[in-house]
Amino acid sequence: MVRRVAVIGAGAGGLASIKCCLEEGLEPTCFERSEDIGGIWRYTDSTDGGRVSVYHSVITNTSKEMSCFSDFPCPEDFPSYLPHRLLLEYFRMYARHFDLLRHIRFKTTALSVRKRPDFATSGQWEVVTETDGVQESHVFDAVMVCTGHYQQPYLPLASFPGIETRFKGRYLHSQEYKDVEAFRGKQVLVIGTGNTGGDLSVELSHVAAKVFLSTRTSTWVFSRISDHGFPFDMVNTTRFNHFLDWLLPSALMKRIRFRKFNSWFNHSNYGLASTKSSNFKIIINEELPFCLLSGTIVLKPSVKEFTESSAVFEDGTTEENIDVVIFATGYIFSFPFLEESVRSLFDDNRSLYKRIFLPQLEKQTLAIIGLVQLTGSVMVGTEMQARWVTGIFAGWNKLPPTSRMMADVLKKKPPVKRNPPERENLKISFISYTDEIASCAGVKPNLLQLLLTDPRLALAIFFGPCTPYQYRLVGRGKWSGARDAILTQWQRTLKPLRTRVVDDSSSSSDGWRWMCLLALPVALSAGFLLSKYPQLGWSLPAG
């Protein structure tokens, strides 16, 4: 019987894990190596000790309604997209509300997590920690690793001849970047067009002499602001769109998405992406197109090599007088505190059952929380993982036999091994994954039942944003405020914008009612399909 649980890390995943443990009657002890909660979202100027944190200007890419904990909405006066300081404040509010801080041991590093000699029967772990130079050994019935996937910078210097031997300028990983001051008046080359590479390029363009942005893959850019000024994820991450992904051919859906992206600006004109691209990434950045249009950022292909002061690119062009090279090349995960026999069981998160459990362990008392890349908020997926895992630890939920878990892992594992940045781009559909774990946890909403008992709520769930409150309507952890949170999510989105009221006689409420009435047959048809093909459930795979 699991009772005592070690939680490693007090970021978003760690906080959710502590709360879920308490709700299941377990006894969590969280070990956090820094002096505060928040994980990477707690900004610090220092990079000492290898701690990864966000840069000073960062703002969330997912909106507050789509990213909050499922039974604790963000304050209505918070903006839809949060600067790191407001997100950290939200974490503090969550920790205070559920009295989580007393279960956290700060400035305590987990040095090792090893199986006990009787692990095959007890499933217990020996955890050695260090606080102020003093080591201590503990025995736990289970361990939840909540250190996430932003752990160790991926710096592929070997792929850039001359960077270490000839180049006289400075090079660094984006982990070391905090603000623009050190780059004022410099010529900067940013390598990598992920979200970080795009953000840093835009920010540096305001103070640098010139910014070059190098990419080797097609990159589609979209804005956080969608139709009628609403948050992009609230408009697009819906069960209806997810249903279309399953229903329509993938080639057609891909074409529709590319057309949508190009409706903002033609990506091929900017050298960013082509509709013929098979290998591409999608990033969020409102300012990058204008910076390219104004010439403050110049897009370049892959770097072939470096000389003493210049970069030579694959197309034969050369840019002279490069002062600084910033590698926005992502991260790789590592768990140095886990014993070697455990670390050797996986090479990436696709070796984990449901991205959480190692099927080969004799006892499933180790859970990796937050090691997943989703097309939506990882925070929501992480909380769902924690709810399911603690239910298993508490004994009311069960895992399938090892053979079935291994078969599931092999089925979902890609046939070709990719390098770390490419693995980062292989994101899982937010709705597919969250629904899958919710189904395992017994908290997935039932469309047909809702259509019969509460059609207004059913339509809001199917056609509206897939907000986390949907997973608090039924099952263990059901929250009485979930229905109201869903029906008022648009009000909370608009509230911080109502600082100046203007008279607009055209009301959208009547149009919304008519749309709901017209959409009812579609929802009923979808419900019929889901009832006829129960294996689809709410977890329709992305197209």
Side-chain angles (χ1 to χ4, degrees):
M1 172 66 71
V2 169
R3 177 61 61 184
R4 300 185 68 236
V5 181
V7 178
I8 301 177
L15 294 176
S17 296
I18 297 169
K19 176 179 176 288
C20 291
C21 282
L22 295 173
E23 289 177 337
E24 294 296 345
L26 305 175
E27 300 172 5
T29 301
C30 178
F31 301 109
E32 168 56 46
R33 65 175 179 171
S34 72
E35 66 275 10
D36 203 354
I37 63 172
I40 64 168
W41 287 101
R42 186 173 64 81
Y43 170 78
T44 176
D45 292 323
S46 173
T47 57
D48 293 343
R51 181 180 176 273
V52 177
S53 77
V54 294
Y55 38 96
H56 189 266
S57 62
V58 77
I59 296 175
T60 58
N61 283 337
T62 52
S63 63
K64 66 175 183 179
E65 293 296 317
M66 300 293 288
S67 305
C68 62
F69 295 110
S70 57
D71 57 353
F72 195 73
C74 277
E76 63 177 10
D77 60 338
F78 274 30
S80 285
Y81 293 101
L82 304 179
H84 61 81
R85 60 178 181 80
L86 283 183
L87 184 58
L88 182 58
E89 177 57 28
Y90 172 68
F91 289 158
R92 296 194 200 285
M93 295 165 63
Y94 181 77
R96 288 193 298 265
H97 182 78
F98 293 106
D99 195 20
L100 306 181
L101 295 178
R102 63 190 179 93
H103 300 280
I104 305 175
R105 294 182 56 177
F106 293 107
K107 296 184 179 180
T108 301
T109 302
L111 298 179
S112 68
V113 176
R114 298 181 176 277
K115 298 177 184 176
R116 296 270 291 169
D118 61 348
F119 179 82
T121 55
S122 70
Q124 290 184 328
W125 300 85
E126 181 180 3
V127 179
V128 177
T129 61
E130 182 177 82
T131 308
D132 296 328
V134 178
Q135 294 188 10
E136 187 178 357
S137 179
H138 322 259
V139 176
F140 288 97
D141 301 312
V143 176
M144 301 175 75
V145 178
C146 306
T147 51
H149 53 263
Y150 296 106
Q151 298 174 29
Q152 182 179 333
Y154 176 64
L155 197 59
L157 299 180
S159 300
F160 298 89
I163 187 68
E164 294 181 280
T165 57
R166 297 194 295 270
F167 184 61
K168 301 300 184 183
R170 178 190 176 196
Y171 66 86
L172 67 152
H173 189 272
S174 58
Q175 177 213 8
E176 299 178 56
Y177 178 91
K178 294 302 176 181
D179 58 42
V180 299
E181 287 308 314
F183 307 93
R184 189 174 296 275
K186 306 285 188 182
Q187 291 222 120
V188 183
L189 169 62
V190 178
I191 296 178
T193 52
N195 284 311
T196 299
D199 285 351
L200 267 54
S201 298
V202 167
E203 184 166 275
L204 288 167
S205 70
H206 299 305
V207 300
K210 197 77 170 180
V211 175
F212 301 97
L213 178 58
S214 169
T215 179
R216 63 179 179 179
T217 59
S218 288
T219 304
W220 295 95
V221 184
F222 67 88
S223 170
R224 295 174 181 87
I225 306 169
S226 187
D227 302 337
H228 307 290
F230 289 110
F232 180 89
D233 53 358
M234 292 187 73
V235 173
N236 288 273
T237 309
T238 69
R239 294 189 180 278
F240 174 66
N241 287 344
H242 191 58
F243 179 69
L244 291 180
D245 278 342
W246 168 78
L247 187 66
L248 300 177
S250 59
L252 176 60
M253 290 304 300
K254 191 177 186 181
R255 187 174 178 180
I256 292 172
R257 287 193 184 97
F258 287 169
R259 175 168 290 194
K260 176 71 173 176
F261 292 146
N262 274 333
S263 67
W264 184 23
F265 67 95
N266 189 309
H267 284 63
S268 63
N269 287 344
Y270 286 65
L272 281 164
S274 165
T275 55
K276 298 178 181 179
S277 304
S278 58
N279 182 25
F280 61 88
K281 64 178 68 172
I282 300 173
I283 69 170
I284 302 171
N285 199 301
E286 294 79 24
E287 298 182 64
L288 181 60
F290 176 72
C291 289
L292 292 171
L293 196 62
S294 63
T296 54
I297 295 177
V298 176
L299 197 66
K300 303 293 292 185
S302 298
V303 176
K304 181 180 179 181
E305 63 176 336
F306 286 93
T307 66
E308 288 189 356
S309 61
S310 63
V312 181
F313 297 91
E314 293 289 352
D315 62 355
T317 60
T318 301
E319 295 295 343
E320 304 284 350
N321 302 317
I322 300 295
D323 298 303
V324 184
V325 178
I326 300 178
F327 287 89
T329 45
Y331 294 81
I332 55 178
F333 63 85
S334 63
F335 305 107
F337 48 82
L338 291 178
E339 66 175 76
E340 177 57 32
S341 66
V342 176
R343 289 202 309 271
S344 65
L345 295 178
F346 59 90
D347 55 0
D348 62 26
N349 67 351
R350 290 165 183 80
S351 299
L352 302 172
Y353 178 64
K354 307 297 185 187
R355 307 296 199 270
I356 302 172
F357 292 102
L358 285 166
Q360 305 94 322
L361 287 180
E362 304 95 313
K363 294 287 184 179
Q364 292 301 329
T365 55
L366 174 68
I368 310 297
I369 302 296
L371 193 66
V372 61
Q373 285 277 50
L374 302 177
T375 56
S377 170
V378 175
M379 281 174 51
V380 176
T382 294
E383 184 196 24
M384 185 56 65
Q385 290 179 331
R387 291 175 67 186
W388 180 43
V389 166
T390 52
I392 292 170
F393 288 167
W396 64 265
N397 209 330
K398 302 294 182 185
L399 286 171
T402 300
S403 58
R404 281 180 53 193
M405 289 194 287
M406 287 296 299
D408 184 81
V409 168
L410 293 174
K411 178 182 177 181
K412 296 178 179 178
K413 199 166 187 179
V416 180
K417 187 172 182 179
R418 293 169 167 84
N419 63 39
E422 289 174 331
R423 291 203 301 264
E424 288 283 309
N425 294 330
L426 294 176
K427 294 184 177 181
I428 310 171
S429 163
F430 170 77
I431 295 180
S432 290
Y433 182 77
T434 312
D435 272 356
E436 182 179 9
I437 304 303
S439 179
C440 294
V443 297
K444 184 176 65 174
N446 185 307
L447 175 62
L448 273 181
Q449 183 179 345
L450 283 173
L451 280 172
L452 296 173
T453 60
D454 195 340
R456 181 189 177 198
L457 179 62
L459 290 172
I461 287 176
F462 188 66
F463 291 101
C466 185
T467 44
Y469 322 119
Q470 296 184 11
Y471 301 106
R472 290 286 180 175
L473 292 168
V474 296
R476 292 179 71 88
K478 178 180 177 180
W479 175 43
S480 60
R483 182 182 187 275
D484 182 65
I486 294 169
L487 297 179
T488 58
Q489 55 201 6
W490 290 110
Q491 288 92 309
R492 284 191 303 278
T493 300
L494 294 175
K495 179 63 167 29
L497 299 175
R498 302 300 194 193
T499 54
R500 178 177 178 266
V501 180
V502 294
D503 181 24
D504 185 2
S505 57
S506 62
S507 172
S508 61
S509 59
D510 290 337
W512 168 250
R513 292 191 186 97
W514 277 109
M515 190 191 78
C516 287
L517 289 174
L518 293 173
L520 186 59
V522 179
L524 289 170
S525 300
F528 171 75
L529 283 172
L530 293 174
S531 63
K532 188 174 181 180
Y533 303 102
Q535 71 273 22
L536 296 176
W538 276 100
S539 304
L540 305 176

